[in-house]
Amino acid sequence: MRILLVSTYELGRQPFGLASPAACLRTDGHQVACADLAVEKLSVDAARVADLIAFYLPMHTATRLAASVIEAVRRVKPTAHLCCYGLYAPVNAGYLRSLGVETILGGEFEDELRRVARTLEAGDRRTSAEPLVSFERVHFEIPDRSGLPSLSRYATMFDGETDRVTGYTEASRGCKHLCRHCPIVPVYNGTFRVVPADVVMADIRQQVEAGAQHITFGDPDFFNGPTHGMRIVQRMNSEFPALTYDVTIKIEHLLKSRDLLGGLRRTGCLLVTTAVESIDDEVLRKLDKGHTKADFLELVRLFREHELNLSPTYIPFTPWTTWEGYRELLRTLAELDLVHQVAPVQLALRLLIPAGSRLLELEEIRSLVDAYQPDALAHRWQHPDPSVDRLAERLLQLVDSEQKRGASRAECFAAIWAEAGGGEPAPVLLPQQRRAPRLSEPWYCCAEPMPERIAKV
């Protein structure tokens, strides 16, 4: 079979979601081409010769971007079998089918893609009426990154002094937790699966050979399996002592496994992203986050004790946001000297309510949302106070314009306070002693997509 795998966007990373299935399909003897539309144009010739075209949809923005590409591909090769796979494929199955997608895969997708290719090769084009969501343990191959753009074309990690060429891999998928706003929950429903350590190490090894100086682990939570995660970074540090890395871990897990924080530091962890979401305990309870404001404050203390860098992320605009609550978030960041560690876009994001979201369990949410909107791939909602919605919109535009002019995080914060501070004096920021480590592509999830990213397609 001639197969084309397509990714539209994955936060500036070279997609594991293309490299992993490409290896499996090539092992089966298929001819596989990969296209990452975040950094390259789709080859019309590659689409024209493909028997199977599969789109990787790991997040909301990627799915929004894929829609127009799917329509274009259908015009180029109307006889190709179209497939979508990844986290956002099954929850948007109805919409994707309306675009002409015939097969929809969720959960652990590598072996399922292999089955689709074998079935098509045998001449059987029958499709399942329902999405195929598998949690069977995958027979992973070492990801095959041949044919993907070089790592130099992707996001880099600034380590405080220089930019480091950054690779990307995954050691696990899914999550043990059921946070109401999380897009993983409708698919994995509290389960998670690991990628074998030998496969992860082989993938890291080949990326180091390709020039990687830093590795981003894309696990939804690196401490869903802390023993598995720590074994990998210990092996990685032993083999590549100069290699740094970053991970994403829940506050709840970081506090529970606080004895591992020193191990993260010793093995080269440069940055830990954690989804704080809010500093309002009532909002955190509604989101079912599993932590409190006090837990967050304790985590900040622990990270400074261990000399680890924290990258907190937020969804500041929810149906429960108030003007004073938003100002309190800004004050808290200033008081904790975290402004330099928070990407400005994190202070302008608005809650996303996709299909199947556990947020719809809450009567107060059901009373606010409109019917599911296929064009937005979400339920639209309006804040009870229209001025809060207007503030969110202005801040998103403000952050975009400030960053385009090269403003620092402190300057962006000052501009945000000028817009939202209600005439109060701005919080005093401590002088920045050293620029905080950061990825050149801001991390965000569970939030409405950036307009400029959608426009680029």
Side-chain angles (χ1 to χ4, degrees):
M1 295 287 291
R2 292 165 297 184
I3 301 171
L4 174 61
L5 303 179
V6 181
S7 173
T8 56
Y9 180 61
E10 198 178 3
L11 294 169
R13 305 155 168 173
Q14 190 188 67
F16 182 91
L18 295 190
S20 180
C24 295
L25 293 165
R26 285 168 180 155
T27 297
D28 286 0
H30 302 295
Q31 301 174 45
V32 182
C34 295
D36 184 1
L37 307 191
V39 295
E40 62 182 347
K41 292 183 178 180
L42 180 61
S43 164
V44 174
D45 290 339
R48 188 173 288 129
V49 302
D51 305 303
L52 167 62
I53 303 176
F55 291 83
Y56 177 47
L57 307 179
M59 62 180 296
H60 181 88
T61 301
T63 311
R64 289 279 300 273
L65 293 172
S68 61
V69 183
I70 290 170
E71 293 173 341
V73 162
R74 284 184 64 202
R75 293 193 294 271
V76 170
K77 186 65 182 292
T79 60
H81 186 94
L82 300 186
C83 170
C84 286
Y85 66 98
L87 191 64
Y88 270 80
V91 296
N92 292 297
Y95 176 66
L96 295 172
R97 290 201 186 283
S98 75
L99 299 177
V101 176
E102 297 163 274
T103 298
I104 296 170
L105 307 176
E108 304 301 282
F109 49 75
E110 284 87 350
D111 287 345
E112 295 303 320
L113 277 169
R114 283 174 137 160
R115 292 187 184 104
V116 170
R118 290 168 187 163
T119 300
L120 292 172
E121 190 175 31
D124 186 353
R125 293 185 63 96
R126 289 176 297 176
T127 59
S128 170
E130 298 296 324
L132 301 173
V133 181
S134 172
F135 301 114
E136 295 180 11
R137 298 188 185 279
V138 171
H139 176 72
F140 283 96
E141 304 285 347
I142 298 170
D144 187 344
R145 297 179 179 275
S146 61
L148 285 171
S150 69
L151 294 178
S152 62
R153 298 185 63 186
Y154 291 90
T156 57
M157 169 61 78
F158 177 75
D159 65 6
E161 296 179 355
T162 60
D163 288 321
R164 301 174 73 89
V165 176
T166 299
Y168 174 80
T169 195
E170 296 176 5
S172 65
R173 292 182 180 144
C175 186
K176 295 192 294 188
H177 296 271
L178 300 173
C179 302
R180 276 201 177 94
H181 62 305
C182 181
I184 298 170
V185 174
V187 177
Y188 278 86
N189 195 30
T191 62
F192 84 104
R193 291 287 182 264
V194 300
V195 182
D198 287 344
V199 172
V200 179
M201 281 304 303
D203 190 27
I204 291 169
R205 199 171 291 120
Q206 68 178 346
Q207 292 185 78
V208 171
E209 291 172 358
Q213 302 163 304
H214 178 92
I215 296 292
T216 290
F217 285 93
D219 308 42
D221 192 310
F222 198 67
F223 275 3
N224 268 321
T227 301
H228 175 67
M230 290 305 298
R231 282 175 180 165
I232 288 172
V233 295
Q234 286 162 358
R235 287 179 60 181
M236 184 176 75
N237 182 249
S238 177
E239 188 169 344
F240 305 108
L243 190 65
T244 56
Y245 66 92
D246 70 278
V247 293
T248 298
I249 306 175
K250 275 174 68 74
I251 290 178
E252 182 179 356
H253 284 171
L254 288 165
L255 294 178
K256 183 178 179 180
S257 299
R258 64 182 66 199
D259 57 316
L260 299 179
L261 297 183
L264 291 175
R265 180 75 174 86
R266 288 189 297 274
T267 53
C269 183
L270 196 59
L271 188 67
V272 177
T273 298
T274 194
V276 182
E277 314 299 36
S278 175
I279 59 165
D280 184 318
D281 284 343
E282 182 60 19
V283 174
L284 292 170
R285 186 189 65 79
K286 292 176 187 293
L287 297 179
D288 203 3
K289 276 300 299 179
H291 71 256
T292 63
K293 179 181 179 180
D295 291 332
F296 169 54
L297 298 179
E298 171 65 3
L299 184 68
V300 173
R301 185 192 69 78
L302 282 171
F303 265 57
R304 288 185 174 147
E305 179 182 304
H306 287 278
E307 297 182 334
L308 277 168
N309 295 298
L310 187 67
S311 177
T313 64
Y314 298 91
I315 309 175
F317 290 100
T318 72
W320 309 287
T321 299
T322 65
W323 280 81
E324 179 53 32
Y326 184 73
R327 285 192 284 266
E328 181 60 23
L329 170 62
L330 299 182
R331 292 190 203 99
T332 299
L333 293 177
E335 289 167 4
L336 295 175
D337 192 22
L338 286 174
V339 169
H340 304 295
Q341 294 170 238
V342 176
V345 71
Q346 294 295 327
L347 302 178
L349 295 177
R350 195 171 184 272
L351 181 67
L352 180 73
I353 306 179
S357 173
R358 281 194 65 219
L359 284 165
L360 296 169
E361 296 172 357
L362 302 177
E363 172 58 35
E364 57 196 300
I365 290 293
R366 294 197 299 272
S367 67
L368 285 176
V369 301
D370 293 334
Y372 179 75
Q373 303 291 316
D375 62 325
L377 301 181
H379 294 271
R380 298 189 189 277
W381 61 273
Q382 294 182 332
H383 194 282
D385 180 352
S387 72
V388 175
D389 278 340
R390 292 193 293 270
L391 173 64
E393 184 177 354
R394 289 199 304 273
L395 291 183
L396 197 60
Q397 295 170 350
L398 175 66
V399 168
D400 182 52
S401 63
E402 287 293 297
Q403 291 185 319
K404 283 179 178 175
R405 75 173 184 86
S408 68
R409 289 183 173 182
E411 290 170 331
C412 286
F413 182 87
I416 289 170
W417 183 268
E419 189 69 40
E424 294 182 26
V428 176
L429 303 184
L430 294 175
Q432 187 176 13
Q433 301 299 319
R434 180 174 178 269
R435 288 187 66 192
R438 64 192 66 176
L439 285 161
S440 58
E441 183 91 10
W443 187 100
Y444 67 96
C445 187
C446 313
E448 294 178 354
M450 304 298 291
E452 70 272 13
R453 176 59 64 179
I454 295 296
K456 281 182 181 179
V457 78

